[in-house]
Amino acid sequence: QVQLVESGGGSVQAGGSLQLSCVGSGYTYLYYMGWFRQAPGKEREGLATIDMGGNTLYTDSVKGRFTISRDNAGNTLYLQMNSLKPEDTAMYYCAAGAILTLNSYDFGYWGQGTQVTVSS
């Protein structure tokens, strides 16, 4: 029922910024939303999640650098990424789930991903 499409990825130098967007359809407003990433050979990593009331949860590696937000209708999710580091290089995914968590196993709907590459 839920479809998610990410955009906004690209290549930047260390210290640069990017904003990712995720457009949802199919009752997206009923779900908690999150951003995850996966680098080659590594597990999926939960970055940030947000509920309909604006409460947020961040993993330590991005806290203070990344900001998650969503529009009032709950149809679009954003991730503002500042002070990017080479270790941020990964495929970034948005997801919809039932609780405010960074555990990817609690999210049942996923977008196709958008690539972020940060050079030294």
Side-chain angles (χ1 to χ4, degrees):
Q1 299 179 47
V2 174
Q3 294 179 255
L4 303 169
V5 180
E6 303 97 333
S7 62
S11 298
V12 298
Q13 289 187 298
S17 298
L18 285 173
Q19 183 176 262
L20 307 183
S21 299
C22 174
V23 178
S25 62
Y27 308 103
T28 306
Y29 58 92
L30 296 175
Y31 294 87
Y32 296 82
M33 301 294 295
W35 286 101
F36 298 77
R37 68 186 179 191
Q38 187 166 21
K42 297 184 178 180
E43 298 180 5
R44 281 178 294 175
E45 179 185 19
L47 304 177
T49 54
I50 187 169
D51 67 14
M52 293 303 296
N55 298 302
T56 58
L57 179 66
Y58 294 92
T59 192
D60 287 342
S61 65
V62 306
K63 195 174 299 181
R65 299 190 298 123
F66 292 8
T67 302
I68 189 171
S69 62
R70 69 194 300 174
D71 65 4
N72 291 331
N75 294 322
T76 305
L77 182 72
Y78 303 95
L79 185 68
Q80 178 65 47
M81 304 185 294
N82 299 323
S83 301
L84 285 163
K85 306 174 181 179
E87 52 263 44
D88 294 320
T89 296
M91 184 71 73
Y92 283 68
Y93 300 90
C94 66
I99 59 174
L100 190 66
T101 179
L102 294 174
N103 188 349
S104 63
Y105 290 100
D106 292 313
F107 288 77
Y109 298 97
W110 296 84
Q112 80 289 347
T114 185
Q115 179 67 39
V116 172
T117 302
V118 184
S119 60
S120 300

